[in-house]
Amino acid sequence: DAGVIQSPRHEVTEMGQEVTLRCKPISGHDYLFWYRQTMMRGLELLIYFNNNVPIDDSGMPEDRFSAKMPNASFSTLKIQPSEPRDSAVYFCASRVGPSGQGDSGELFFGEGSRLTVL
Amino acid sequence: KQEVTQIPAALSVPEGENLVLNCSFTDSAIYNLQWFRQDPGKGLTSLLLIQSSQREQTSGRLNASLDKSSGRSTLYIAASQPGDSATYLCAVRPFNFNKFYFGSGTKLNVKP
């Protein structure tokens, strides 16, 4: 399996611009998570989806952030307008849901998208 | 709310030494606990997953233990190598929740 795939790996943009980050979860995984990592705050959960439905977006910092999952193989995280304090590494992760064999719950991460807002 | 703490924040050891990384959590009602490794500029790689019913898991030179009653997990690395240098994070998934709560990590440096 190719693992969780994120794009772009690096994004440099100017304040006020729109940023769209993309994620392809592992095939067959029912849950998708968006995290943000900074030196100051560590890993923060922004939002997660179950079967393409947003379940908990309480970690989304502001209305400037939005996330969608139009199908089981694709999700986006959008920031509009971007600000310098949004600079961070954004990770997407996925895991399989409960099945007849139980719920191992192992979480798999992508390589991340490093965002720099000037 | 579950809080996860990892101490120390950084650790430097000579090659060949056995070492233990610590993870503590405040609420013992957990579904599982997962240890990750993160190399600079990279994503998190899953090392070991321990279900709440388990006491330990082993993979090669790594052994992770779980003591729910005391809210602690340890990651034991045997015969450390320079290639083990990375940041190690633990994550706890509370029971009946799908969120994972992460510690801030222990940055390990293994000197040749």
Side-chain angles (χ1 to χ4, degrees), chain A residues 40-88:
Chain A
M40 291 297 295
R41 300 173 68 92
L43 267 167
E44 302 173 278
L45 176 64
L46 301 178
I47 184 171
Y48 79 89
F49 296 82
N50 178 211
N51 292 324
N52 315 337
V53 176
I55 302 299
D56 186 342
D57 65 355
S58 59
M60 297 285 260
E62 300 172 34
D63 291 345
R64 298 184 295 105
F65 286 69
S66 62
K68 294 182 180 180
M69 192 165 185
N71 57 61
S73 59
F74 183 66
S75 177
T76 60
L77 178 67
K78 186 176 293 186
I79 308 172
Q80 166 63 20
S82 59
E83 296 183 4
R85 60 193 167 121
D86 301 331
S87 297

Side-chain angles (χ1 to χ4, degrees), chain B:
Chain B
K1 178 189 171 186
Q2 180 74 264
E3 292 187 5
V4 183
T5 304
Q6 291 185 251
I7 296 174
L11 182 64
S12 184
V13 300
E15 181 178 5
E17 193 164 295
N18 302 324
L19 59 100
V20 174
L21 306 180
N22 297 296
C23 172
S24 60
F25 46 94
T26 53
D27 188 343
S28 62
I30 66 169
Y31 191 85
N32 59 36
L33 184 146
Q34 195 168 350
W35 281 93
F36 295 88
R37 167 187 173 138
Q38 186 175 27
D39 293 286
K42 300 289 188 180
L44 281 71
T45 301
S46 178
L47 296 175
L48 289 164
L49 173 72
I50 309 178
Q51 303 295 348
S52 63
S53 59
Q54 297 174 320
R55 294 299 301 270
E56 64 180 282
Q57 281 283 355
T58 298
S59 176
R61 294 182 294 109
L62 305 179
N63 176 276
S65 68
L66 174 64
D67 183 345
K68 284 194 306 179
S69 61
S70 66
R72 293 186 61 184
S73 176
T74 61
L75 179 67
Y76 175 83
I77 303 177
S80 59
Q81 303 170 358
D84 295 330
S85 298
T87 297
Y88 291 80
L89 298 99
C90 68
V92 172
R93 179 183 162 195
F95 201 75
N96 283 335
F97 281 89
N98 285 302
K99 292 184 180 183
F100 291 78
Y101 292 88
F102 280 82
S104 53
T106 294
K107 187 173 182 179
L108 174 66
N109 178 37
V110 181
K111 298 172 289 186

